[in-house]
Amino acid sequence: MEYPGNLFVVAAPSGAGKSSLVKALLELDARLAVSISHTSRAPRGQEQHGREYWFITPEEFRAMAERGDFFEWAEVHGNLYGTSRAGIESRLQGGEDVVLEIDFQGALQIKQLFAHAVLIFILPPSWDELRLRLARRGDTEPEVIAKRMNNARLEVAQAQHFDYIVVNAVFDTAVFDLKTIVHAQRLKYAAQRRNRSAVFQALDLP
Ligand SMILES: Nc1nc2c(ncn2[C@@H]2O[C@H](COP(=O)(O)OP(=O)(O)O)[C@@H](O)[C@H]2O)c(=O)[nH]1
Ligand SMILES: Nc1ncnc2c1ncn2[C@@H]1O[C@H](COP(=O)(O)OP(=O)(O)O)[C@@H](O)[C@H]1O
């Protein structure tokens, strides 16, 4: 599938800093919007329906999957997560850029569907630092941390399939790396589509 808008997919092991980085990137770049996924998991803490996720039942999720309402979906840590077509198709068709914050299984499905999607994997600077970030965020149960650290090793093994790897050591440096990838892709894709005005726009030229 090919749409005029750019599609950026960001994946990471839990605790690496993906949500914080994407949030900072969106604040710097008004032309990016994040896609809100559907999930069968229950809301946690302050989470709101339609803000962090669209929270639905496993039955509703399965029905949507059977109808083909998702571009991709996957089971992650025992819950179902998916990117709905309705959420991003019109934006991409309108030439606007979209960021997907999804797991590696979903990222690889998206690359099959959209050859021009850019896959970015966020790595923590070390396993020790990942453990510290999980603990600092409030995941303090030893079993929860152990499970996430085990999953992290499996997820990091998939980083080779991604277009870029960003190491989130110093936060602002990692945000800058993401910004550079987004900027470079906008130029490349606009040039590929022979869209001169989009190249000028990406360069902020009049
Ligand atoms: N494939 C896929 N994965 C998703 C989607 N939305 C969120 N995820 C991933 O599901 C995992 C769990 O997310 P979440 O429950 O919010 O957070 P966590 O439990 O704190 O890591 C993360 O790796 C997310 O990136 C989606 O639409 N599709
Ligand atoms: N570069 C960084 N240095 C130190 N702490 C960080 C950095 N990036 C993120 N964090 C912290 O690590 C924790 C996990 O970040 P979060 O964005 O929730 O991760 P993810 O979305 O990948 O699960 C949060 O407490 C966040 O403030």
Side-chain angles (χ1 to χ4, degrees):
M1 262 179 274
E2 192 179 312
Y3 293 117
N6 286 284
L7 189 51
F8 300 96
V9 183
V10 185
S14 178
K18 176 180 58 163
S19 307
S20 317
L21 290 171
V22 169
K23 188 163 172 271
L25 180 67
L26 292 177
E27 280 165 11
L28 290 174
D29 189 334
R31 289 165 57 198
L32 282 176
V34 72
S35 155
I36 306 201
S37 297
H38 285 67
T39 182
S40 68
R41 89 153 161 74
R44 289 190 301 232
Q46 304 296 307
E47 286 180 337
Q48 278 176 23
H49 186 63
R51 191 178 65 184
E52 284 80 8
Y53 286 104
W54 299 106
F55 295 98
I56 58 176
T57 64
E59 294 71 33
E60 286 169 329
F61 195 105
R62 297 266 175 217
M64 282 183 72
E66 273 165 32
R67 280 200 304 269
D69 288 352
F70 292 122
F71 275 131
E72 65 74 33
W73 66 272
E75 185 173 332
V76 190
H77 311 148
N79 294 303
L80 301 168
Y81 294 87
T83 306
S84 77
R85 290 171 172 273
I88 63 171
E89 200 163 29
S90 61
R91 209 180 149 87
L92 289 171
Q93 258 162 2
E96 292 172 286
D97 299 341
V98 174
V99 183
L100 304 182
E101 247 191 80
I102 62 179
D103 89 311
F104 75 87
Q105 307 170 78
L108 300 180
Q109 293 178 57
I110 289 289
K111 190 73 180 187
Q112 294 295 317
L113 277 180
F114 300 93
H116 79 290
V118 175
L119 269 46
I120 305 167
F121 199 88
I122 311 287
L123 278 183
S126 67
W127 296 117
D128 282 348
E129 175 64 18
L130 182 62
R131 197 184 319 252
L132 275 177
R133 287 186 194 170
L134 284 170
R136 228 183 282 135
R137 196 174 58 174
D139 296 338
T140 45
E141 298 286 319
E143 312 85 72
V144 174
I145 295 213
K147 187 164 170 241
R148 286 180 185 241
M149 291 301 293
N150 269 333
N151 279 331
R153 285 174 200 276
L154 299 175
E155 288 162 21
V156 167
Q158 302 295 326
Q160 54 175 321
H161 302 298
F162 282 62
D163 297 307
Y164 297 99
I165 295 179
V166 169
V167 178
N168 180 19
V170 176
F171 188 79
D172 289 350
T173 307
V175 175
F176 186 77
D177 287 349
L178 289 174
K179 246 185 92 64
T180 305
I181 293 168
V182 167
H183 183 63
Q185 170 63 18
R186 279 184 178 142
L187 287 171
K188 179 177 157 195
Y189 193 48
Q192 272 172 357
R193 295 173 59 82
R194 300 183 203 286
N195 186 341
R196 263 200 315 171
S197 67
V199 175
F200 292 160
Q201 199 189 353
L203 284 168
D204 284 334
L205 292 174

